[in-house]
Amino acid sequence: MLIKLKKERTHQEDRRLALWLATSAGLLNAIALGAFGFFPSHMTGNTSQLSSEVSSTDLNDIIFFGSIILAFVTGAILARIIVIWGIIHNIRLVFCQILFVEGLLLTGISVYEMYFHALTSNRTIIIFLCGLMGIHNSTSTQLSSGRVRSTHITGTLTDAGISLASVVVAMLRRDYSKDTAAQKSQLKTHLTTLFSFITGGIAGLLLFRWIGFNAMLALGVILALVSVCSVITIAVRVRKVRAALGR
């Protein structure tokens, strides 16, 4: 799921990726809403809000919303640079490493908020979370070659609509080509992403109301554990292959 091989990825792998990363994105988005009253992944709305603040000439809010957008883009750029570095050095576990670091950073933020929460630091934390969302979305997008965008629901809805239209037209024309099958698989992947994000959002709000910032802490730990499990799985698989070749 977290390893990009030379062979083409299957939709089944992308759906597992969507289940984990889109759900975690929905969870973090909802927890941030419950904690700070703000969606860290909603860049369309944040950009619109920035335009509104510019017209009202509120300098503090202009800087804040500008920083949010910059943080998200910076996170995406950083994830891309790390992936390119991993490709150059033939590091197959680079996506696992990114997710592991993201989990550790989210865990650190959670611990800070649990013990040192203050209203004066809310905007700084929001900007930091937007950066993590940029990393998160960039990682899933690169790993799946654009088929899974864990935080970009507007784009996913658009892609799902395109796939659905293609499937419906093919059914009406009784077209049973490989392209139609591919569109059906793509539609299932998009629907999985949407379902995962929505489910994560609902769970995130409920968990934050129940256990507060412990929910964010648990999410950070889970992301780190998922990456570690992927590393262990690959290590075991490689060892088995080498042992088989040694025979």
Side-chain angles (χ1 to χ4, degrees):
M1 178 185 73
L2 291 176
I3 309 298
K4 192 159 189 174
L5 303 173
K6 291 183 179 179
K7 69 178 180 65
E8 185 178 353
R9 284 174 62 87
T10 65
H11 280 281
Q12 190 64 34
E13 291 171 328
D14 283 339
R15 284 171 205 145
R16 289 202 301 270
L17 180 70
L19 281 171
W20 283 104
L21 296 195
T23 300
S24 59
L27 278 164
L28 181 55
N29 209 38
I31 291 170
L33 176 64
F36 310 111
F38 200 89
F39 289 117
S41 73
H42 190 30
M43 288 301 114
T44 303
N46 293 334
T47 303
S48 300
Q49 188 65 35
L50 174 60
S51 302
S52 174
E53 296 301 336
V54 168
S55 65
S56 67
T57 65
D58 188 329
L59 184 59
N60 288 331
D61 285 343
I62 291 172
I63 294 173
F64 173 59
F65 284 102
S67 299
I68 283 172
I69 297 167
L70 180 62
F72 189 91
V73 174
T74 300
I77 292 171
L78 183 60
R80 179 55 181 166
I81 290 173
I82 295 172
V83 169
I84 292 174
W85 174 82
I87 293 172
I88 292 173
H89 292 84
N90 197 29
I91 300 176
R92 294 174 60 195
L93 300 175
V94 63
F95 291 99
C96 298
Q97 295 170 351
I98 293 173
L99 191 64
F100 180 73
V101 173
E102 181 189 346
L104 290 183
L105 291 174
L106 186 56
T107 300
I109 295 173
S110 304
V111 172
Y112 175 83
E113 285 297 303
M114 289 169 64
Y115 292 99
F116 306 104
H117 176 70
L119 293 176
T120 54
S121 64
N122 277 2
R123 287 198 166 189
T124 302
I125 298 298
I126 290 170
I127 291 170
F128 199 87
L129 290 178
C130 287
L132 287 184
M133 279 292 194
I135 293 173
H136 197 80
N137 195 50
S138 179
T139 301
S140 64
T141 301
Q142 292 180 80
L143 185 53
S144 65
S145 298
R147 296 197 294 200
V148 177
R149 302 177 189 272
S150 55
T151 70
H152 188 39
I153 299 306
T154 302
T156 303
L157 281 169
T158 303
D159 293 340
I162 292 171
S163 297
L164 178 59
S166 299
V167 170
V168 171
V169 170
M171 290 174 62
L172 292 174
R173 295 178 60 189
R174 297 184 179 181
D175 178 7
Y176 305 106
S177 64
K178 291 183 178 180
D179 183 63
T180 302
Q183 288 291 349
K184 288 182 179 179
S185 295
Q186 186 64 63
L187 178 60
K188 291 178 182 178
T189 300
H190 291 320
L191 292 177
T192 300
T193 303
L194 292 170
F195 175 79
S196 299
F197 189 88
I198 293 170
T199 304
I202 295 171
L205 279 175
L206 294 175
L207 287 172
F208 183 77
R209 291 174 183 173
W210 181 31
I211 56 178
F213 282 106
N214 285 312
M216 189 182 291
L217 175 64
L219 178 58
V221 172
I222 289 172
L223 286 175
L225 286 176
V226 168
S227 62
V228 170
C229 289
S230 294
V231 171
I232 293 173
T233 300
I234 290 299
V236 171
R237 188 182 301 172
V238 169
R239 186 175 300 175
K240 287 181 179 180
V241 170
R242 288 178 177 174
L245 291 175
R247 295 175 185 172

